[in-house]
């Protein structure tokens, strides 16, 4: 990375001062600018240039030593050039007067600098203490005629201390000040390229623009995105696949704010609660201070570059920092005083929500009255507040058309789901976010009832307010996407009734509620929907028993979703009334959301809990969903074993519970080329899936469509998923659980001349991806469908990387094949071969024989005859133990490519290349690339066929 992008003019100016020092002149240069603007990098570059010119350089940072820092640096210089001429022990005796010492050091340095011109580099000069500041001013003055160049960097700070008055005097009378400002757009783009080693696309530049031209922020953001696996580099182009800040940025911003005084931190965090821009008066009211009292904190925040001021209005110049400050991690810096009602109203855009009970309501923190016990605030009152000052009736809310399934009094579904949710909280720090994303996905896929029931289980006494707000906001969005506006509104209302919801979350909840009202404008009747599983009419509180406590969510010292009450009397894990146990929907949602570790943990918890409770439970369903999980990540042989176990159990108890396992076995059979077995499993599944069995319908439809495609019937495949003669669209659950479905449908619809259906499938996939912006496989599915529809290899390349990041190798293999087809159509044989080889590696690892054979056939048609098949009986060590994927990485490395270059050439991530190399080194018992090259020459290059395949031209 080049940290000096856009700083050429400053470097040139510093070079001129260095040249003058070499010729016998001295001086002082102060590089000034806000945090992270590149001051330290400039000082380092100048120091290196000074050393190259033959100057002696001493460098330090303020507050590194107990001695006055300028004197400390100069003593180090004198020890180097005058060690035999001066008694330094006597010079630095503790009882020495610092001002006498300053004069004596000045004399010695003046004599020494005549022989050895000197550059003194001091970073973070804003931190110097008073004695150091005075020493600095005196030494710069006394050495002005000597070949001593002082290079200082500092962040502007108020001149309240004696030290900063001294530095200010230097700036006014003795120093040249060079100001570093924000990078322009061209320099930011160049910096992005320098950091990533690839050309940034619009997504990268958009993220970089949110850093306000601050190079440290750009580098920090990109490092965090890379660490989180959210930066994709394909074919020399970089893309970001994230919609929110990665955790690494929050950590870095926290460290930055730790350097600020507490008053400045409170101003920043509290101000961001008001909005991206706010007035001095609003901030003062929120903090309970007067505007004049706040002025010094505002000055310091502005000088540090953390805020921008226009008259009385304040703003955050960096969107990244503004967004980070909204995170719960920074709430500890908020003021402890209550938020005035006027400010709270300004923040949320809503008037206080008033209860309608007979006893009124108690004031909430922040001036908001809470509803009377047992009474929910109406949507009308909240939405009216969201549009204060606008005349006209408030849009009503309608009841969702989906009715909840009946439950028997002894239904144990909720208990098992509660156990699964508790397990998530025990094992994963991000459990609230994970569950919120999964339930949003489930609701948006048309399964709002199941998502609502799971939320009802999760929102139990003891859950933190922040966790509840996050879950409700995500789920509410999913419900609105599925047109379940009544359920969404009630959920939002009930959470707003909590007294301990912070004002930022309250504002978000009110905005979501207003959005719900806006979406149903014009509907003739207003009905608040009962929560799933409850009788019609006014629904009871969402969280049973909350009103028995303090009402603030603090009855138990629990965090996130970890709360759980005492164990109740054992209940069966499932009842006959529910079509599918509630926990199965949770597992399916986690799988669809690419949360495979979490889904695995939930499965383990369900089995453990069921065995602990004893009695019968739908174990065959459990094995079937375990098989679905394993198949999704490409572990086909393990998935087959689990699915067959499900069949053995179901045949003895509940045949219908075998449907998920049969669907998995049919797909595995197709991947292995056994269409007869696939047909048999599908026939059995069709018999077992009755008209009201909605849980299995989408999965069965998709598997039948795949079977038609594998059997050479593309038109029937399309007809299975889309009614080509009517407006019927596919079940959204299908495209949510099968991210490659849209691309497959587009490909086959185009083959049979159904262009409109192809367009509809791609549009459907894009809509689902937009509803679930954090799910990489769904974004990959949308890019995949778009790439096939538009013959766009760039979109297909993004799909490959997104599938890889989502850990879906079979999907990535499919996208690689489609990309290869596009490259072949452009007569790019070398690239086509590499793409197909990468796809074959994935299929081989998954044990997908039919897919492997298909790709091998394509490679042979291209003239590639050195194609390895499945490694039956392959040894564990030695050259013959290397897989095709490992051999391709070896060839790229032996050819002199770096890990990143090899990754780009082979359509892998650098992490994958590194993993392959580590396995190769272990198998060959070597530890260097030199040894690897020797092995390659001995084993591969000696074969005429293999040596030909190794030629650099064919490697790319």
């Amino acid at each position: 990375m080049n940290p000096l992008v856009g700083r050429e003019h400053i470097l040139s100016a510093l070079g001129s001062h260095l040249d003058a020092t070499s010729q016998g002149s001295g001086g002082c240069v102060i590089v000034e600018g806000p945090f992270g603007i590149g001051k330290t990098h400039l000082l380092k570059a100048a120091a290196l240039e000074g050393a190259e010119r033959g100057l002696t350089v001493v460098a330090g940072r303020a507050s590194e030593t107990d001695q006055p820092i300028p004197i400390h640096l100069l003593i180090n210089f004198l020890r180097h050039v005058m060690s035999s001429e001066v008694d330094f022990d006597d010079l630095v005796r503790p009882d020495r007067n610092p001002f006498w010492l300053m004069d004596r050091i000045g004399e010695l340095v003046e004599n020494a600098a005549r022989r050895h011109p000197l550059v003194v580099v001091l970073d973070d000069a804003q931190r110097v203490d008073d004695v150091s500041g005075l020493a600095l001013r005196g030494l710069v003055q006394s050495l002005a005629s000597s070949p001593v160049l002082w290079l200082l960097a500092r962040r502007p700070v108020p001149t309240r201390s004696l030290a900063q008055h001294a530095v200010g005097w230097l700036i006014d009378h003795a120093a040249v000040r060079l100001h570093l400002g924000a990078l322009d757009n061209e320099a930011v783009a160049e910096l992005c390229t320098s950091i990533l080693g690839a050309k940034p696309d619009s997504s990268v530049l958009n993220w970089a623009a949110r850093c306000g031209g601050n190079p440290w922020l750009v580098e920090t953001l990109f490092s965090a995105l890379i660490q989180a696996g959210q930066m994709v580099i394909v074919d020399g182009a970089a893309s970001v696949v994230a919609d929110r800040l990665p955790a690494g940025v929050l950590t870095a911003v926290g460290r930055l704010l730790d350097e600020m005084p507490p008053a400045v931190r409170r101003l920043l965090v509290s101000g961001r609660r008001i909005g991206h821009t706010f007035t001095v008066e609003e901030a003062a009211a929120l903090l309970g201070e007067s505007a004049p009292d706040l002025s010094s904190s505002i000055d310091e925040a502005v000088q540090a570059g953390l805020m921008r001021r226009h008259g009385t209005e304040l703003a955050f110049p960096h969107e990244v920092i503004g967004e980070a400050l909204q995170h719960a991690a920074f709430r500890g810096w908020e003021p402890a005083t209550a938020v005035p009602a006027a400010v709270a109203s300004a923040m949320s855009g809503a008037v206080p929500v008033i209860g309608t009970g007979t006893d009124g309501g108690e004031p909430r923190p922040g001036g908001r009255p809470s509803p009377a016990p047992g009474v929910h605030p109406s949507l009308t009152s909240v939405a009216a507040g969201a549009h204060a000052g606008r005349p006209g009736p408030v849009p009503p809310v309608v009841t969702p058309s989906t009715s909840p399934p009946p439950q028997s009094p002894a239904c144990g579904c909720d208990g098992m789901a509660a156990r699964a949710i508790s397990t998530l909280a025990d094992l994963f720090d991000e459990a609230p976010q994970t569950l919120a994303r999964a339930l949003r996905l489930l609701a948006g896929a048309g399964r709002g009832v199941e998502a609502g029931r799971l939320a009802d289980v999760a929102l139990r006494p003891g859950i933190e307010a922040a966790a509840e707000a996050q879950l409700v906001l995500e789920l509410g969005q999913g419900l609105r996407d599925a047109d379940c506006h009544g359920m969404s509104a009630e959920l939002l209302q009930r959470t707003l009734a909590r007294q301990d919801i912070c004002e930022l979350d309250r504002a978000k909840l009110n905005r979501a509620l207003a959005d719900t009202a806006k979406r149903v404008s014009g509907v003739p009747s207003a009905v608040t929907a009962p929560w799933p599983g409850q009788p019609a009419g006014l629904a009871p509180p969402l969280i049973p028993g909350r009103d028995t406590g303090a009402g603030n969510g603090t009855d138990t010292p629990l965090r996130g979703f970890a709360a759980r009450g005492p164990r109740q009397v054992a209940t069966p894990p499932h009842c006959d009334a529910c079509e599918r146990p509630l926990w199965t929907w949770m597992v399916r949602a986690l799988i669809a959301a690419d949360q495979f570790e979490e889904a695995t943990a939930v499965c383990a918890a369900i089995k453990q809990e069921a065995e602990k409770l004893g009695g019968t439970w739908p174990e065959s369903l459990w094995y079937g969903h375990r098989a679905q999980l394993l198949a999704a990540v490409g572990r086909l042989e393990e998935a087959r074993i689990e699915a067959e176990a499900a069949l053995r159990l179901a045949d003895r108890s509940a045949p219908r519970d075998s449907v998920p396992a049969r669907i998995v076995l049919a797909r595995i059979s197709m991947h292995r080329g056994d269409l007869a077995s696939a047909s048999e499993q599908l026939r059995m599944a069709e018999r077992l899936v009755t008209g009201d069995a909605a849980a299995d319908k989408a999965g069965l439809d998709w598997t039948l469509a795949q079977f038609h495609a594998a059997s050479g019937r593309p038109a029937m495949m399309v007809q299975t998923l889309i009614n080509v003669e009517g407006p019927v669209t596919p079940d959204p659950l299908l495209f949510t659980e099968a991210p490659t479905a849209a691309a497959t449908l587009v490909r086959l619809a185009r083959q049979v001349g159904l262009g409109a259906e192809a367009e509809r499938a791609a549009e459907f996939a894009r809509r689902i991806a937009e509803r679930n912006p954090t799910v990489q496989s769904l974004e990959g599915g949308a890019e995949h469908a778009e790439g096939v529809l538009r013959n766009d290899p760039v979109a297909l390349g993004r799909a490959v990387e997104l599938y890889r990041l989502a850990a879906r190798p079979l999907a990535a293999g499919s996208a690689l094949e489609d990309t290869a087809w596009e490259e072949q159509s452009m007569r790019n044989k070398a690239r086509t071969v590499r793409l197909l080889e990468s796809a074959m590696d994935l299929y081989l690892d998954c044990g997908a024989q039919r897919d492997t054979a298909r790709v091998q056939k394509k490679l042979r048609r291209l003239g590639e005859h050195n194609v390895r098949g499945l490694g039956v009986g392959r040894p564990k060590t030695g050259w013959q133990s290397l897989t095709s994927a490992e051999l391709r990485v070896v060839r790229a490395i032996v050819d002199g490519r770096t890990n990143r270059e090899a990754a780009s050439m082979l359509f892998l991530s650098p992490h994958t290349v590194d993993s392959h190399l580590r396995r190769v080194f272990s198998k060959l018992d070597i530890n260097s690339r030199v040894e690897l090259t020797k092995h390659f020459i001995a084993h591969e290059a000696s074969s005429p066929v293999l040596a030909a395949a190794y030629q650099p031209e064919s490697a790319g």
Side-chain angles (χ1 to χ4, degrees):
M1 170 193 152
N2 178 13
L4 303 175
V5 168
R7 305 304 188 195
E8 293 78 8
H9 63 294
I10 301 288
L11 278 173
S12 176
L14 291 174
S16 299
H17 287 283
L18 291 170
D19 289 337
T21 303
S22 298
Q23 296 165 11
S25 299
C28 179
V29 178
I30 297 180
V31 180
E32 216 174 41
F35 80 95
I37 208 67
K39 303 181 293 294
T40 299
H41 287 304
L42 272 173
L43 288 192
K44 289 180 179 178
L48 289 173
E49 285 198 26
E52 289 174 358
R53 285 169 165 79
L55 302 171
T56 301
V57 179
V58 294
R61 187 181 297 272
S63 302
E64 286 185 343
T65 173
D66 293 334
Q67 301 181 47
I69 184 64
I71 294 176
H72 174 68
L73 292 176
L74 293 178
I75 288 176
N76 286 342
F77 164 67
L78 294 171
R79 286 184 188 276
H80 179 73
V81 299
M82 304 180 67
S83 59
S84 60
E85 304 172 38
V86 179
D87 183 358
F88 287 99
D89 291 336
D90 179 67
L91 195 64
V92 297
R93 285 202 329 258
D95 59 346
R96 285 292 187 192
N97 184 297
F99 296 100
W100 174 88
L101 181 61
M102 180 183 68
D103 291 339
R104 177 59 177 151
I105 293 295
E107 294 172 6
L108 294 172
V109 169
E110 185 175 12
N111 293 330
R114 300 296 177 189
R115 293 173 285 171
H116 304 278
L118 173 65
V119 179
V120 183
V121 179
L122 178 61
D123 199 4
D124 284 341
Q126 76 275 5
R127 296 178 177 174
V128 295
D129 58 27
D130 290 345
V131 174
S132 294
L134 294 173
L136 186 62
R137 186 179 72 177
L139 287 167
V140 170
Q141 283 182 279
S142 64
L143 296 171
S145 59
S146 302
V148 178
L149 176 63
W150 299 82
L151 294 181
L152 280 62
R154 79 158 191 164
R155 186 172 65 224
V157 292
T159 56
R160 293 189 291 267
S161 67
L162 184 61
Q164 293 310 315
H165 276 292
V167 175
W169 185 92
L170 286 176
I171 292 173
D172 293 336
H173 300 90
V176 174
R177 178 166 58 177
L178 300 177
H179 179 74
L180 282 186
L183 297 176
D184 59 26
N185 291 341
E186 184 177 350
V188 168
E190 186 180 347
L191 179 63
C192 294
T193 303
S194 176
I195 293 172
L196 301 174
K199 183 179 179 181
D201 71 359
S202 59
S203 66
V204 175
L205 294 177
N206 288 339
W207 272 99
R210 295 165 70 179
C211 297
N214 186 292
W216 175 81
L217 270 180
V218 173
E219 183 180 1
T220 299
L221 171 64
F222 288 177
S223 297
L225 288 168
I226 292 169
Q227 183 70 26
Q230 295 171 321
M231 182 72 71
V232 179
I233 299 177
V234 179
D235 225 13
S239 301
V240 175
V241 292
D243 71 330
R244 64 184 65 186
L245 288 179
V249 174
L250 302 178
T251 302
V253 171
R255 287 197 298 266
L256 173 66
L257 265 65
D258 280 338
E259 301 176 13
M260 299 292 115
V264 175
R265 295 201 299 264
R266 286 195 300 272
L267 169 68
L268 294 169
V269 176
S270 301
R272 189 62 186 90
R273 289 170 57 194
I274 302 173
H276 188 75
T277 61
F278 54 95
T279 65
V280 174
E281 289 73 17
E282 287 174 332
L286 182 61
L287 290 164
E289 300 181 27
S290 66
D293 290 341
L294 205 59
S295 61
S296 61
S297 296
I298 293 173
D299 289 342
E300 191 155 358
V302 170
Q303 289 176 326
L306 292 166
M307 299 196 77
R308 184 183 294 129
R309 177 166 45 195
H310 300 285
T312 61
E313 190 173 81
L314 303 171
F316 290 90
H318 313 98
E319 291 181 40
V320 163
I321 290 182
E323 185 176 342
L325 291 175
Q326 297 181 72
H327 195 270
F330 297 100
R331 289 179 186 150
W333 290 332
E334 293 175 355
T337 57
V339 181
V343 177
S345 178
M347 288 191 291
S348 66
V351 297
V353 179
I354 308 296
T356 57
T358 56
D359 59 347
E362 296 177 345
R364 291 192 190 130
R368 293 180 181 272
S370 64
V375 178
H376 300 296
S378 68
L379 178 63
T380 302
S381 65
V382 178
H387 300 280
R390 294 175 56 181
V394 177
V397 176
V398 296
T399 306
S401 59
T402 308
S403 59
Q407 289 180 272
S408 70
C411 177
C413 291
D414 289 359
M416 295 294 282
R419 173 59 182 158
I421 292 169
S422 296
T423 296
L424 284 181
D426 291 341
L427 299 179
F428 300 97
D429 292 336
E430 301 295 317
Q433 296 91 319
T434 297
L435 185 61
R437 288 194 295 268
L439 296 191
R440 173 177 176 172
L441 178 148
L442 191 59
R447 299 304 185 270
V449 168
E450 290 79 8
R453 288 181 60 199
L454 284 166
D456 204 8
V457 172
L459 301 180
R460 58 196 182 281
I463 179 175
E464 286 183 346
E468 177 173 340
Q470 182 174 33
L471 177 61
V472 167
L473 285 166
E474 291 278 2
L475 178 54
Q477 181 62 56
L479 290 169
R480 291 193 294 279
D481 290 340
D483 295 326
C484 296
H485 303 296
M487 292 171 64
S488 176
E490 185 178 357
L491 187 65
L492 292 163
Q493 287 173 335
R494 291 173 175 181
T495 302
L496 279 165
R498 282 191 70 149
Q499 297 180 9
D500 56 338
I501 295 290
C502 78
E503 290 305 314
L504 177 61
D505 285 339
R506 190 175 299 282
K508 291 179 180 178
L509 291 162
N510 273 313
R511 284 196 297 269
L513 197 55
D515 179 54
T516 301
K518 194 182 303 179
R519 291 194 186 201
V520 292
S521 177
V523 178
S525 61
V527 182
T528 301
W531 194 245
Q534 303 294 348
L538 184 63
L542 180 64
I543 305 175
R546 177 182 286 170
D547 56 352
T548 61
N552 59 5
T554 58
D555 297 0
T556 54
L558 301 168
R559 300 175 55 244
F561 291 129
R564 59 167 79 92
R567 177 174 292 277
Q568 304 297 320
V569 177
T571 56
H574 178 41
C575 70
D576 295 333
C578 300
E579 183 196 358
R580 283 284 186 266
L582 197 54
W583 59 263
T584 64
W585 289 104
M586 185 174 177
V587 172
R588 290 174 66 171
L590 290 169
I591 295 172
D594 305 329
Q595 304 290 335
F596 302 122
E597 289 185 23
E598 291 83 349
T600 301
V602 165
C603 284
I606 292 299
K607 187 175 179 66
Q608 182 181 20
E609 185 73 2
E611 292 174 346
K612 186 184 299 182
L613 292 174
T616 59
W617 69 291
E619 193 172 4
S620 55
L621 274 179
W622 184 89
Y623 277 104
H625 287 297
R626 271 277 299 169
Q628 287 180 338
L629 169 59
L630 293 166
V633 296
R635 294 158 62 179
L636 296 184
E637 179 59 23
E638 295 172 70
R640 181 190 63 79
I641 293 171
E642 297 287 274
E644 289 178 348
L647 296 191
R648 290 193 295 271
L649 290 165
D651 288 343
R652 296 196 301 267
S653 55
R656 185 177 154 190
D657 285 351
S658 71
V659 171
R662 292 188 185 279
I663 290 173
V664 172
L665 283 173
R667 292 176 186 168
I668 294 173
S669 297
M670 283 185 276
H671 280 299
R672 295 187 169 179
D674 186 358
L675 296 185
S677 295
S679 177
E680 178 63 24
Q681 295 297 340
L682 286 171
R683 277 199 301 270
M684 290 294 297
E686 283 185 294
R687 292 195 194 106
L688 295 168
V689 175
T690 58
D692 61 343
D696 300 316
K697 187 69 167 59
L700 182 57
D701 284 348
W702 169 232
T703 310
L704 283 168
Q706 288 179 296
F707 181 77
H708 291 316
S711 303
R713 297 188 292 269
M716 191 174 292
M717 184 271 187
V718 177
Q719 181 69 49
T720 302
L721 300 182
I722 292 183
N723 180 4
V724 298
E725 297 178 356
V728 179
T729 56
D731 186 341
L733 186 64
L734 185 157
F735 283 81
T736 303
E737 293 191 311
T740 59
T744 305
L745 187 55
V746 169
R747 187 188 313 112
L748 297 181
R750 293 182 66 190
Q751 284 181 18
V752 296
L754 298 172
E757 283 67 29
E759 293 272 0
R760 285 165 61 193
E763 180 185 355
F764 207 75
R766 174 56 61 191
R767 193 181 313 137
I768 288 175
E770 289 172 351
R771 289 178 175 181
N772 300 279
T774 61
V775 183
Q776 291 170 329
S777 65
L778 295 182
E779 178 64 24
E783 293 285 349
H784 193 178
E786 187 72 16
V788 174
L789 180 67
R790 311 294 178 199
N791 301 317
D792 184 356
V794 176
L796 290 169
R798 287 196 294 267
V800 171
E801 280 304 307
L802 287 162
Y803 286 146
R804 286 187 187 277
L805 289 171
R808 293 183 182 264
L810 292 170
S814 174
L816 282 165
E817 284 192 76
D818 286 324
T819 314
W821 174 265
E822 296 300 332
E823 294 294 340
Q824 187 176 2
S825 69
M826 294 185 286
R827 301 184 183 280
N828 190 340
K829 178 183 174 182
R831 187 170 170 79
T832 302
V833 168
R834 291 198 304 272
L835 287 161
L836 290 174
E837 287 177 338
S838 294
M840 189 176 69
D841 290 339
L842 293 173
Y843 293 147
L844 280 168
D845 288 343
C846 294
Q849 292 98 324
R850 179 172 177 269
D851 304 283
T852 301
R854 181 180 62 248
V855 175
Q856 288 172 335
K857 187 175 181 180
K858 292 178 181 179
L859 285 168
R860 291 191 179 99
R861 285 176 179 169
L862 292 168
E864 298 295 312
H865 300 292
N866 179 38
V867 180
R868 293 192 179 192
L870 289 170
V872 179
R874 180 181 291 148
K876 300 295 184 185
T877 59
W879 193 258
Q880 294 304 317
S881 69
L882 302 186
T883 65
S884 298
E886 290 164 351
L887 283 171
R888 268 185 274 284
V889 170
V890 167
R891 293 190 184 106
I893 297 302
V894 169
D895 201 32
R897 288 178 170 83
T898 64
N899 283 16
R900 184 172 293 279
E901 291 168 339
S904 178
M905 184 189 81
L906 298 173
F907 307 99
L908 303 172
S909 68
H911 173 75
T912 302
V913 170
D914 182 65
S915 297
H916 280 315
L917 274 181
R918 282 189 272 110
R919 285 198 298 269
V920 168
F921 281 17
S922 176
K923 288 179 178 181
L924 300 182
D925 193 24
I926 60 176
N927 54 23
S928 75
R929 297 186 180 213
V930 174
E931 293 177 276
L932 180 61
T933 302
K934 291 178 181 178
H935 274 272
F936 177 83
I937 294 171
H939 291 276
E940 289 255 318
S942 59
S943 166
V945 175
L946 295 178
Y950 163 65
Q951 294 301 317
E953 299 86 68
S954 64

